[in-house]
Amino acid sequence: MTTEQEPGTPGRTQVPGRWAAVTASEHGAVMTPAAGRTMAVLRLALGFVFLWAFLDKTFGWGYATPSERAWVRGGSPTEGYLSSVSVGPMQSALRGWAGAAWADWLFMLGLLGVGVALVAGVALRLAAVAGIVMLALMWVAEWPPDRYTSDGAPSMSTNPLVDYHVVYALVLVALALTYSGNVWGLGRTWAKLVRGRRWLL
């Protein structure tokens, strides 16, 4: 049986699909071709989620952001969302950030950076860290553990702990750890450019 050694990842192997299930106990790390393609599709899909949010907020395509509130027309990407936060221990702080230029720029650069990195398949570790920070702040803003808002209305939370923010964060970790940018992405080229700086992978 032959295995392909992943560049820059000693001890990690990719095993042909027909052998993977049989030999998994021997090598411990398995990424079959089908699994690699599945992770690539997942990477592209999540990248599109971030990029779409950036583009819609920038140009006001009429989905989450009406045209007149587009960032390019002077609208604030954070004002509407953060000014309506009414749950959780950080609600007053988050409302205070609403519409601040620094908050708008950090949020939009985060959406763009994470989205481009995922679609291109590069810097996935950095993208995962940045994406998790953004998702954690959005989780705090929605504060799923609370069943009621500060004015007594139902919070509409469907799960007190694990919601889509948590799932997206876990997906980001999985994408980074499985080198998903190597399939249908520029991961291998990027790895050569940043050789010796594993935190940049």
Side-chain angles (χ1 to χ4, degrees), residues 142-147 154-164:
E142 293 187 16
W143 200 251
D146 279 354
R147 287 184 289 175
S155 69
M156 307 306 289
S157 174
T158 58
N159 188 308
L161 297 175
V162 181
D163 70 348
Y164 69 97

Side-chain angles (χ1 to χ4, degrees), residues 81-87 90-99 150:
Y81 180 66
L82 291 181
S83 63
S84 64
V85 173
S86 60
V87 290
M90 287 188 63
Q91 56 185 293
S92 59
L94 293 171
R95 284 199 301 265
W97 298 352
S150 55

